[in-house]
Amino acid sequence: MQIVILKDSASVAEYGANIFIKQLKKKADSVLGLATGSTPVSLYQSLIAANKAKQISFKAVTTFNLDEYLGLEGTHPQSYRYFMNEQLFEHIDIDKSKTFVPPGDAANPLEACQAYEEKIKSAGGIDIQLLGIGRNGHIGFNEPSSGLMSRTRVKTLTKATIEDNARFFKEDEYQPHLSITMGIGTILDAKKVVLLATGENKADAILATVEGALTAACPASALQLHQDAVLVIDEAAASKLSDKDFYKHIEAENQKLMARLGL
């Protein structure tokens, strides 16, 4: 697991965006796994700017989002399909028919979950999966107790996640308590995983992910199993790690090695 500790949230977004820009320059028809929430927004803004500057193109790209609220149509302002359209897809040269989000309005959610897995497989698998992390260590909507090899499925949201997301809903607006989410096993199948985390409220989750035991109590700890997982975090999110200077030294040495290898 590669740990990158940066000064602030803007630096985190820029670093993360550069990973995706490098991927698209290397492979124009990349399959990208995308995420929603407040953390990726600045990263998406950087990708939009790079696309408008013609540094990268999304014309051949396929995307798969992590999750969606069960019970919301894609046109609902709080749906993740709506979020992705507003924050990214409407502003880049992507073929929207190649952008996939779990269908929150599926007539048969269980069948929809299996179909989503099959779409990912038929696309050749995900090249880079973007992740955020919840205060309780959830990735996607894989809440604590999620199976570490789970696949796309329907999940009940915890009270903590519902409370964290309540700010996006009006007081009298229906807030779903169920979701469709890629499983942890689905996420681990991605060739590369990039997790972004900023703010002191994520410090406990980052500590458990990096230095804690591999356990379903912290779903993000499963990234310890991945051969190419990168955690890009700011100083606040890293504040409870046992030795930040150690992680910074390791990353500096890693960058020197990458430079020597021309990677």
Side-chain angles (χ1 to χ4, degrees):
M1 188 186 295
Q2 180 184 356
I3 313 300
V4 181
I5 302 173
L6 302 172
K7 179 182 177 181
D8 52 28
S9 59
S11 301
V12 168
E14 181 181 4
Y15 191 103
N18 285 334
I19 293 175
F20 280 81
I21 290 169
K22 183 177 179 181
Q23 172 67 27
L24 292 180
K25 287 181 175 179
K26 180 177 70 174
K27 184 183 177 188
D29 61 345
S30 292
V31 180
L32 306 180
L34 302 178
T36 54
S38 55
T39 306
V41 170
S42 294
L43 181 150
Y44 292 151
Q45 291 172 348
S46 294
L47 295 183
I48 291 167
N51 180 236
K52 291 188 181 302
K54 301 190 184 303
Q55 296 174 13
I56 54 173
S57 173
F58 290 85
K59 289 181 179 178
V61 168
T62 301
T63 69
F64 290 92
N65 261 73
L66 277 169
D67 46 22
E68 178 61 282
Y69 287 114
L70 188 59
L72 297 188
E73 296 181 350
T75 55
H76 191 287
Q78 299 306 331
S79 75
Y80 287 166
R81 162 57 76 179
Y82 188 93
F83 176 98
M84 291 306 303
N85 289 344
E86 291 289 305
Q87 298 295 335
L88 183 63
F89 299 149
E90 296 285 0
H91 309 287
I92 57 175
D93 60 347
I94 198 165
D95 180 353
K96 271 204 188 171
S97 69
K98 295 171 70 176
T99 65
F100 299 99
V101 179
D105 58 349
N108 188 324
L110 298 183
E111 288 183 0
C113 292
Q114 181 59 38
Y116 204 66
E117 287 281 334
E118 291 170 359
K119 283 180 182 178
I120 294 172
K121 184 176 180 180
S122 65
I126 293 171
D127 291 303
I128 301 184
Q129 177 65 59
L130 179 65
L131 297 176
I133 186 170
R135 288 186 300 127
N136 59 7
H138 77 248
I139 47 178
F141 274 137
N142 292 286
E143 301 282 16
S145 81
S146 293
L148 297 183
M149 297 309 293
S150 54
R151 313 305 298 187
T152 301
R153 68 211 187 285
V154 174
K155 279 293 291 182
T156 301
L157 306 182
T158 63
K159 181 181 179 181
T161 297
I162 292 168
E163 290 175 349
D164 284 347
N165 291 348
R167 68 188 189 278
F168 300 117
F169 294 83
K170 298 175 183 176
E171 283 191 21
D172 59 348
E173 190 174 19
Y174 168 67
Q175 181 180 358
H177 290 192
L178 294 173
S179 69
I180 296 180
T181 183
M182 285 188 196
I184 296 175
T186 313
I187 292 168
L188 292 178
D189 280 348
K191 299 176 182 70
K192 186 182 190 77
V193 176
V194 178
L195 185 149
L196 309 183
T198 61
E200 192 173 354
N201 65 327
K202 300 296 178 69
D204 285 326
I206 290 299
L207 175 62
T209 298
V210 176
E211 298 182 0
L214 175 64
T215 171
C218 177
S221 69
L223 298 181
Q224 295 173 16
L225 299 171
H226 200 283
Q227 64 178 359
D228 192 6
V230 184
L231 274 62
V232 189
I233 59 181
D234 68 0
E235 290 279 357
S239 61
K240 293 191 177 181
L241 294 177
S242 61
D243 191 344
K244 288 194 294 181
D245 289 338
F246 169 76
Y247 293 111
K248 290 178 179 179
H249 171 73
I250 293 297
E251 175 57 17
E253 292 300 313
N254 180 60
Q255 291 300 322
K256 291 178 184 177
L257 175 61
M258 299 287 278
R260 286 201 298 270
L261 295 175
L263 300 175

